[in-house]
Amino acid sequence: MRLTRAFLPTLKETPAEAQIVSHRLMLRAGLIRQTSAGIYAWLPAGWRVLQKVTQIVREEQNRAGAQEVLMPTIQSAELWRQSGRYEDYGKEMLRITDRHEREMLYGPTNEEMITDIFRSYATSYRDLPRNLYHIQWKFRDEVRPRFGVMRGREFLMKDGYSFDLTKEASEHSYRQMFLAYLRTFQRLGLKAVPMRADTGPIGGKLSHEFIILAETGESTVFYDTKFDEFDWAGTEVGYDDVEALNSFFEQVTSMYAATDEMHDEAAWAAVPAASQREGKGIEVGHIFHFGTKYSEPMGLSVAGPDGNTVVPQMGSYGIGVSRLVAALIEANHDENGIKWPDAVAPWKLSILNLKVGDAACDALCEKLHAAFPDDAVYDDRGERAGVKFADADLMGMPWQAIVGPRGAAAGKVELKRRATGEREELSLEDALAKLRA
Ligand code: 5CA
């Protein structure tokens, strides 16, 4: 991607309306553009990151045995009347009337719709367990949308739903997602702590929020620093191993961690003072076990093994996919800009041609660009070096290949690692080998 042809609009000035660093950097690096309050267009760089985050979420869901579907954004009010949530949901729900005066809504979540779909097919206990998810835009008419995509009105969510024959089986499904979430956030390079949580309008008793510690977070959290020593990837627990998964879950949840709503002073006092950590956090995921809250009123039932009628047990599992992009920036930036982790960077490499028109510089840059046709941004603009350095640091690609006339004459490239600032002068071959490693 040549910068002279790209749509990567960076801003020099800090937008006044942006209060937190991720929002400022998302606007300045040209990732998003606000189109209405709390509603954003994703520009090329932002869209590439969002797709990478989505793909990691998807892979970990599939690995845990969930199956992807895609449900519509627009739902009928009738379904929500069946669960009793249509009136309860209040002003956060965007209600729409179609030309036939039918009441519709822009989905804030999909419990009703998935229950409706599943009840149309499930007839027997053999149809259980099942876990279905989708990655789809949601709309919640938040009173105070703020902090960019961190708390938007329209946002991308991964929402999954499990159906099980018994309460025990559904608790196993819950634990499968619990582990899948820890693995997902770890792959994204984020330390997310699971905390006992309030269930709000989704309902149920068993619920965990996954919170990333960050000063700009909206939730106050209390947790035991034992979490910092835990290696989720290191656990070899299999998703189908009921006992191992249960003891893993017991082990993790026995460590104290709670949001302020669920904070228990007595239990907190039992945590050694040196291990107590209190701070602000960003909720990037939330899982719920709510039994028959939707299946019962919506008439979902199957024939059990003894011919009896069974109402399936359900849970739902959300990840704020678009919010994760902002959370990733909160966790990976410095005063100059974003430091994208390799796994989600929009492009792997920025190529900085410090003297466009110099034959050796141009030739070397073209070779670098040709080596990464879809994974490099080539700054071929006739700008000063200072402008190029600033933009490359702002956009935050993990690698920068800096090509100046003196080095280029000797066939050398300077390779800079954005995250650490480490620099190394290398031959083209060695630079390519390093970038491919
Ligand atoms: N149906 C359940 C789980 S599928 C549900 O809707 N849960 S939720 O309300 O907790 O939302 C799931 C996740 O979406 C949250 O953990 C959060 O990361 C993200 N989210 C919620 N509201 C917003 C918002 N206004 N802007 C951005 N992300 C949001």
Side-chain angles (χ1 to χ4, degrees):
M1 173 69 58
R2 288 168 200 277
L3 268 191
T4 50
R5 309 249 179 92
F7 188 67
L8 291 172
T10 56
L11 304 176
K12 269 190 220 72
E13 310 303 325
T14 298
E17 77 273 22
Q19 297 167 34
I20 62 170
V21 68
S22 58
H23 188 196
R24 283 198 289 275
L25 287 173
M26 287 186 82
L27 294 170
R28 285 194 53 213
L31 304 179
I32 53 168
R33 169 82 192 169
Q34 181 172 312
T35 60
S36 305
I39 304 182
Y40 293 85
W42 291 75
L43 307 183
W47 176 230
R48 285 176 74 104
V49 175
L50 188 61
Q51 289 179 87
K52 290 198 172 176
V53 173
T54 302
Q55 184 57 21
I56 290 174
V57 170
R58 173 179 289 128
E59 284 170 16
E60 292 303 319
Q61 287 294 298
N62 293 347
R63 209 152 79 92
Q67 292 172 70
E68 188 170 11
V69 297
L70 182 58
M71 291 179 268
T73 53
I74 305 290
Q75 309 187 19
S76 103
E78 166 50 25
L79 273 182
W80 286 66
R81 290 213 167 86
Q82 291 177 20
S83 73
R85 271 209 297 185
Y86 188 63
E87 306 306 335
D88 294 354
Y89 216 92
K91 291 197 162 180
E92 272 201 11
M93 181 186 274
L94 180 64
R95 295 154 207 260
I96 306 164
T97 308
D98 74 7
R99 68 200 296 165
H100 305 293
E101 299 295 320
R102 275 189 289 253
E103 291 172 283
M104 316 290 283
L105 56 104
Y106 194 119
T109 174
N110 284 60
E111 279 82 2
E112 285 78 1
M113 188 179 277
I114 196 77
T115 305
D116 176 49
I117 292 170
F118 197 69
R119 74 180 167 187
S120 314
Y121 300 100
T123 55
S124 132
Y125 66 93
R126 288 185 214 88
D127 297 319
L128 302 172
R130 293 292 185 275
N131 189 328
L132 303 172
Y133 74 97
H134 74 160
I135 299 168
Q136 178 63 290
W137 296 94
K138 303 289 183 291
F139 194 92
R140 293 182 185 173
D141 205 351
E142 304 269 353
V143 199
R144 274 200 299 157
R146 55 188 180 148
F147 306 151
V149 300
M150 194 73 93
R151 180 167 295 283
R153 292 200 296 165
E154 192 183 47
F155 59 96
L156 189 61
M157 193 198 288
K158 185 290 292 184
D159 42 321
Y161 305 88
S162 63
F163 299 89
D164 281 278
L165 190 63
T166 63
K167 184 159 180 289
E168 292 67 38
S170 68
E171 283 166 359
H172 175 66
S173 296
Y174 183 90
R175 293 180 204 122
Q176 288 178 323
M177 287 296 113
F178 186 87
L179 177 57
Y181 276 35
L182 291 171
R183 288 179 169 162
T184 303
F185 300 128
Q186 176 150 338
R187 265 186 75 184
L188 290 165
L190 293 171
K191 181 156 216 83
V193 180
M195 314 224 174
R196 293 195 314 123
D198 199 11
T199 56
I202 309 292
K205 287 210 181 72
L206 178 58
S207 177
H208 284 88
E209 286 177 357
F210 293 77
I211 305 236
I212 287 165
L213 279 299
E215 280 168 25
T216 48
E218 291 185 279
S219 326
T220 302
V221 296
F222 302 84
Y223 79 103
D224 186 330
T225 51
K226 270 197 280 182
F227 274 103
D228 295 337
E229 295 148 30
F230 226 91
D231 173 20
W232 318 115
T235 112
E236 287 185 1
V237 179
Y239 284 112
D240 293 328
D241 189 336
V242 176
E243 266 175 40
L245 192 54
N246 188 26
S247 58
F248 167 80
F249 181 78
E250 291 295 324
Q251 187 190 0
V252 176
T253 54
S254 68
M255 301 188 277
Y256 190 88
T259 57
D260 46 358
E261 289 143 351
M262 300 295 279
H263 188 49
D264 174 348
E265 285 295 346
W268 184 232
V271 177
S275 308
Q276 291 181 351
R277 190 65 42 90
E278 187 184 331
K280 291 283 175 190
I282 302 166
E283 180 201 319
V284 290
H286 199 161
I287 61 178
F288 304 81
H289 178 267
F290 43 68
T292 59
K293 178 174 180 210
Y294 300 92
S295 44
E296 175 90 60
M298 293 187 68
L300 163 62
S301 65
V302 298
D306 317 321
N308 52 332
T309 300
V310 182
V311 178
Q313 296 273 326
M314 291 175 60
S316 77
Y317 314 95
I319 291 182
V321 181
S322 47
R323 174 179 290 184
L324 267 173
V325 176
L328 279 159
I329 296 173
E330 292 290 333
N332 300 283
H333 70 270
D334 63 16
E335 63 284 4
N336 298 323
I338 304 170
K339 302 194 282 189
W340 287 118
D342 296 282
V344 297
W347 289 273
K348 183 191 190 79
L349 173 69
S350 277
I351 303 163
L352 285 69
N353 187 340
L354 301 188
K355 195 158 188 203
V356 173
D358 176 277
C361 284
D362 292 353
L364 207 52
C365 287
E366 291 296 341
K367 283 185 189 147
L368 279 161
H369 192 204
F372 298 96
D374 191 41
D375 218 0
V377 167
Y378 173 20
D379 193 343
D380 59 339
R381 299 172 301 172
E383 293 281 359
R384 286 183 294 111
V387 172
K388 298 195 177 194
F389 290 135
D391 273 349
D393 278 356
L394 172 61
M395 289 190 279
M397 267 48 103
W399 295 98
Q400 295 174 13
I402 302 160
V403 179
R406 218 171 311 138
K412 300 268 183 177
V413 176
E414 190 178 28
L415 213 53
K416 173 178 151 183
R417 188 76 173 143
R418 174 68 179 95
T420 60
E422 271 170 82
R423 294 156 177 272
E424 216 181 343
E425 194 165 66
L426 297 168
S427 67
L428 175 65
E429 292 66 39
D430 290 348
L432 290 177
K434 188 146 192 178
L435 290 166
R436 288 191 179 118

